[in-house]
Amino acid sequence: MGFDRFDPKKGADYPSKLANSSVYGHTGYTGTCIWVDPSNQFIYIFLSNRVHPQVSTKIYDLNVRSRIQDVIYETIFNAK
């Protein structure tokens, strides 16, 4: 298991369009992911199973994981 870091070269939505440079995490093949944001003191865990009963790309195509993380950031920023 390894961790990935925020990288603007991977696209504006990876892992979230509102993520900062301190964010690190892992995105799994089955659609699960975990991202840690030390700056905002939160951990985002998304559990899914996109391979049973058959492999689907819907989670990826709809950008579900990043969109949920965007909502979390928007909520944090609006609460401050």
Side-chain angles (χ1 to χ4, degrees), residues 1-2 8-11 14 21 25 29 31 36-37 43 46 50 56 63 68-70 76-77 79:
M1 182 170 158
K9 294 178 188 173
K10 290 187 178 182
Y14 185 80
S21 60
Y29 172 74
V36 179
D37 184 337
I43 299 172
F46 181 83
R50 67 177 188 94
S56 170
N63 203 20
I68 291 172
Q69 196 168 353
D70 289 345
I76 290 170
F77 297 148

Side-chain angles (χ1 to χ4, degrees), residues 11-72:
D13 293 341
Y14 185 80
S16 164
K17 65 183 177 186
L18 301 172
N20 59 66
S21 60
S22 72
V23 173
Y24 63 92
H26 179 77
T27 303
Y29 172 74
T30 61
T32 62
C33 71
I34 179 169
W35 288 95
V36 179
D37 184 337
S39 295
N40 290 296
Q41 299 180 352
F42 83 85
I43 299 172
Y44 165 55
I45 300 172
F46 181 83
L47 300 175
S48 67
N49 187 348
R50 67 177 188 94
V51 297
H52 180 76
Q54 65 186 17
V55 175
S56 170
T57 61
K58 189 173 268 190
I59 289 173
Y60 179 78
D61 294 341
L62 296 174
N63 203 20
V64 171
R65 297 173 291 195
S66 294
R67 290 172 53 207
I68 291 172
Q69 196 168 353
D70 289 345
V71 170
I72 293 168

